[in-house]
Amino acid sequence: MPEPSFRPEDETAPPRPINWNLLTSHDLEQELLALNRWVNWLRLEYGLPASEVPPLWHRHPELLWELSALHLHWLSAYDAEQDGSAPLGWHRDFADARSRLRDWVAASGTRRDRDRPTRQTPWPGEPHAQEVVEQVIHDREADFIEFVLEQVQAREAAEDAFYANIDFETGEIGSGT
């Protein structure tokens, strides 16, 4: 089994909440890579089962947000300027988070060897066109890299579309038509 590669000194910026919806493409890539390193360290350090942290956690927004919050809490609790009891608080909250992670994993249907998109429940009047197809996980690392590239390219396309609608003479943003 590989040694955990995460070391606290890898983190140099002050901890801050991450709104995954607002990151630039570059920041999105960096934050996904940092979170992936930490989640890998966490699952190995604490011997977490796939029922709490499945291999394709990154493909499930509910897991990404939960693990991101847990990471931020860990960074804050183990900050050198923090109170000495902060790690104990983190462990208490970690126990609660593990329960939520189990709930998220059960609801999403992702497992150690197979994954499917989290089912979405349509509200009355909404179309329901989501096809839920389960896939075998062949190579977790390759999937993570593919996921990061897909997310960064989508964010870059959104940024390009935004900037294409800016009138640099007036500073106004066009309607995109």
Side-chain angles (χ1 to χ4, degrees):
M1 180 177 291
E3 288 292 315
S5 61
F6 183 82
R7 295 180 315 277
E9 60 270 15
D10 289 345
E11 300 293 332
T12 57
R16 61 175 175 62
I18 296 169
N19 183 336
W20 293 95
N21 296 324
L22 300 178
L23 296 174
T24 65
S25 56
H26 177 267
D27 289 346
L28 176 65
E29 179 180 22
Q30 297 307 307
E31 294 294 347
L32 283 170
L33 294 173
L35 182 59
N36 186 58
R37 282 190 305 273
W38 184 79
V39 169
N40 194 49
W41 170 84
L42 180 74
R43 75 176 183 86
L44 293 172
E45 191 75 7
Y46 287 88
L48 301 177
S51 62
E52 293 175 10
V53 180
L56 298 191
W57 59 266
H58 54 275
R59 292 215 175 255
H60 298 272
E62 63 277 22
L63 294 171
L64 181 114
W65 287 92
E66 183 78 34
L67 290 165
S68 177
L70 192 59
H71 180 215
L72 173 64
H73 190 9
W74 184 87
L75 288 170
S76 298
Y78 285 92
D79 185 272
E81 301 295 318
Q82 190 54 267
D83 183 276
S85 63
L88 187 59
W90 182 86
H91 279 92
R92 181 189 58 245
D93 295 339
F94 179 41
D96 291 342
R98 288 180 70 183
S99 177
R100 285 192 307 275
L101 286 165
R102 284 190 294 275
D103 289 346
W104 290 127
V105 170
S108 73
T110 186
R111 294 180 281 208
R112 186 189 66 76
D113 59 346
R114 287 172 279 170
D115 188 64
R116 66 169 170 78
T118 300
R119 288 190 173 100
Q120 303 294 313
T121 302
W123 287 354
E126 291 180 342
H128 187 52
Q130 181 188 22
E131 183 179 351
V132 178
V133 177
E134 190 172 83
Q135 297 180 345
V136 174
I137 301 171
H138 295 288
D139 185 338
R140 189 267 176 210
E141 287 302 313
D143 185 86
F144 180 75
I145 292 167
E146 179 183 326
F147 173 80
V148 171
L149 291 174
E150 289 168 357
Q151 297 301 305
V152 168
Q153 288 170 353
R155 193 66 53 95
E156 286 173 344
E159 290 167 356
D160 290 345
F162 174 79
Y163 288 117
N165 288 314
I166 294 178
D167 182 334
F168 289 100
E169 289 182 25
T170 66
E172 294 180 3
I173 300 173
S175 64
T177 57

